[in-house]
Amino acid sequence: MMQPAVPGWVNPFKRNMKNMKKDARILLFSPQAEVDKNYVDQLRKDPDNNQITFHVLNMVEENICSLEGIVKESDQDKLMERVKKTDPTLILLAYNHGVQFGSMPQFPMTEFCEEPPLNSVPWLLKQKGMVGEILKSSKTLLTISTTPAISTTLTQDDYEPKNIWKLESCILSCTGTATGNGLIRELEEVLKENKIENKEDTRVMILSGGHGDNKDEKNNMTPVGGLSCFSDLSMLEYKFYEDDCKRIGVAAEPDPCTYHPTENTVTDIKQNVSLSKPEPMAPYAWPSSKETPLMQDERFNLIKFNVSNVGQFFKDPDGLVEYLTEYNPTFIIIGWSFSTNGDLSVALRSKGFFSKMLLEFDLRSIKSPSASLSDDQIKLLKKADQPADWAGHGKDLRK
């Protein structure tokens, strides 16, 4: 029985895999997705390359573009959302893409020799500024890097996933390394998908102001309770808070930190800094901002935002819960790395605040937008703040 031909992208890709960063994210445009997925599965079995992420876009079933890679104008935003969702470092167009490079092209190159066909995938990627370098081309394969995907010098950052966000109904947090632009891009996606509604009673709280990690106080890796700017002075970063305020379009509160006289390191939290009121922040036009802030975008302009610097609540979960309870957010974001299971998430869960938000989210979805928990229900959640005695449960389960 004749074996099916190996897809044209596989062998060139195999030859270059050893030089790729371990966190490379590959998006493959495939007209024969089932065949290509089988080869992707084989590549994933290689222990040297199993950290590389593959996404196969099925050009037939998803009906976003034709088999020739032509995208209807009405589908172009939908396709770009699909591409950005995978955040690829490398894009493979495994079909007859129609891009011409002349007889002796010199790869890699930063510009197309000729304009790609109108409304084609390469044309759209170029229009959206996603083309970093064109690395290789044949009639049925075009390889494009969106960020430098080839590297011979690897650092710890190269092994860490970036901007992988977890949405838990009304709680957004990051499972790995976060960046400021990554947070805003994810928030924009959540808003576009109407997971946050653009209406006046939508109240978003963004907790910002520093770094997070997946290590404990002894610098050991931990799956739960990693340190962050909530509990470690060295992780506070006022500029991160300022940048988030700029991106949202609100004025930043004063820096609550004191610094070493000769080194730019945080030494303490000021005692005389007045805490801002737990209320929506007014729009503010930053003179140096070149991008349109979210609050000025008509798609999101009814939403109430509050960007709070966690340094004002350093090691004070009760004070933070009191502040959050008064603000009463319908959506909350912890905007630093490893925040999904970090120290602050653990604190807010143990205080019952996340449970309250999730239950009220469900109530609003089922009953009415103004539904909230009763006093008795809130008291019941507060009881969950008390430590539970789990002794003997393992023995019981083994009976």
Side-chain angles (χ1 to χ4, degrees):
M1 182 176 178
M2 183 176 294
Q3 295 294 320
V6 176
W9 64 272
V10 174
N11 289 328
F13 192 76
K14 280 184 177 179
R15 289 193 293 270
N16 287 288
M17 281 185 78
K18 290 183 178 180
N19 296 323
M20 289 187 184
K21 287 187 176 182
K22 298 300 181 183
D23 68 343
R25 298 175 297 280
I26 316 300
L27 176 60
L28 173 65
F29 281 74
S30 171
Q32 48 176 9
E34 290 306 315
V35 174
D36 285 333
K37 284 178 181 178
N38 288 333
Y39 282 94
V40 165
D41 289 340
Q42 293 178 31
L43 293 171
R44 282 185 176 133
K45 293 177 182 178
D46 186 336
D48 292 331
N49 304 308
N50 59 11
Q51 294 183 60
I52 295 176
T53 303
F54 292 88
H55 297 276
V56 179
L57 191 151
N58 190 326
M59 296 171 65
V60 176
E61 290 185 3
E62 298 201 25
N63 198 29
I64 296 178
C65 59
S66 69
L67 290 178
E68 295 76 33
I70 302 300
V71 189
K72 296 178 182 178
E73 290 188 17
S74 58
D75 290 334
Q76 290 179 3
D77 286 342
K78 180 181 177 182
L79 175 60
M80 290 311 300
E81 285 180 14
R82 175 78 166 79
V83 172
K84 290 178 180 179
K85 197 74 174 177
T86 64
D87 191 23
T89 57
L90 200 67
I91 298 176
L92 303 181
L93 306 183
Y95 60 90
N96 192 346
H97 47 77
V99 180
Q100 303 298 320
F101 288 96
S103 57
M104 303 241 347
Q106 297 292 316
F107 296 107
M109 59 180 66
T110 57
E111 296 288 342
F112 291 101
C113 296
E114 297 181 17
E115 186 71 7
L118 183 66
N119 294 327
S120 66
V121 173
W123 177 86
L124 187 56
L125 293 174
K126 178 185 175 184
Q127 295 298 311
K128 299 298 182 179
M130 292 195 69
V131 177
E133 288 185 319
I134 301 103
L135 301 178
K136 184 178 179 62
S137 179
S138 65
K139 184 177 180 181
T140 57
L141 176 64
L142 183 63
T143 306
I144 297 171
S145 70
T146 56
T147 57
I150 308 298
S151 175
T152 56
T153 304
L154 299 178
T155 66
Q156 181 62 32
D157 287 343
D158 296 320
Y159 293 89
E160 295 177 350
K162 293 180 175 61
N163 293 316
I164 307 300
W165 294 87
K166 179 182 179 181
L167 178 61
E168 189 178 357
S169 297
C170 55
I171 302 166
L172 184 64
S173 58
C174 191
T175 62
T177 303
T179 66
N181 287 332
L183 165 61
I184 297 302
R185 187 165 65 239
E186 185 67 21
L187 180 56
E188 287 177 335
E189 290 299 319
V190 171
L191 291 166
K192 287 177 184 176
E193 293 170 6
N194 292 321
K195 293 176 181 176
I196 306 177
E197 295 184 80
N198 185 33
K199 56 184 184 179
E200 293 184 350
D201 57 358
T202 298
R203 300 165 71 87
V204 176
M205 168 64 72
I206 301 175
L207 297 173
S208 177
H211 303 271
D213 205 345
N214 58 352
K215 297 178 181 178
D216 60 20
E217 62 276 1
K218 295 181 180 179
N219 206 35
N220 295 322
M221 299 280 285
T222 178
V224 178
L227 296 179
S228 76
C229 45
F230 177 65
S231 58
D232 188 329
L233 286 174
S234 68
M235 293 186 174
L236 287 166
E237 190 75 51
Y238 181 70
K239 187 178 185 303
F240 289 2
Y241 166 70
E242 268 193 327
D243 289 343
D244 284 341
C245 288
K246 288 180 183 178
R247 294 181 181 111
I248 299 299
V250 297
E253 296 290 332
D255 189 350
C257 301
T258 58
Y259 295 85
H260 189 279
T262 58
E263 301 174 10
N264 189 30
T265 56
V266 178
T267 57
D268 204 353
I269 303 296
K270 298 174 185 176
Q271 301 300 316
N272 58 348
V273 176
S274 59
L275 190 63
S276 61
K277 293 182 179 180
E279 59 187 24
M281 301 171 79
Y284 177 78
W286 286 79
S288 59
S289 179
K290 297 180 181 179
E291 299 178 359
T292 301
L294 285 186
M295 289 184 72
Q296 293 182 19
D297 190 318
E298 63 181 10
R299 296 171 296 175
F300 321 129
N301 58 357
L302 298 180
I303 296 172
K304 305 296 190 299
F305 285 95
N306 185 302
V307 185
S308 289
N309 188 343
V310 76
Q312 294 182 314
F313 306 98
F314 185 73
K315 288 187 175 180
D316 183 14
D318 292 327
L320 177 57
V321 168
E322 182 180 348
Y323 185 88
L324 292 175
T325 300
E326 190 170 347
Y327 181 71
N328 193 26
T330 57
F331 196 94
I332 191 168
I333 301 164
I334 305 180
W336 53 76
S337 303
F338 300 100
S339 57
T340 298
N341 294 317
D343 52 5
L344 181 56
S345 286
V346 170
L348 292 178
R349 289 187 192 280
S350 70
K351 295 292 180 184
F353 186 78
F354 277 178
S355 297
K356 174 180 178 294
M357 283 197 67
L358 291 168
L359 286 171
E360 290 188 332
F361 176 86
D362 289 340
L363 279 175
R364 288 193 296 271
S365 301
I366 297 169
K367 290 188 175 181
S368 71
S370 59
S372 61
L373 294 178
S374 67
D375 291 341
D376 288 340
Q377 289 170 321
I378 292 174
K379 287 178 183 178
L380 183 62
L381 286 176
K382 287 183 177 179
K383 287 183 180 180
D385 187 19
Q386 303 303 316
D389 181 9
W390 293 98
H393 282 216
K395 182 178 178 181
D396 293 340
L397 289 171
R398 289 194 294 269
K399 286 182 178 179

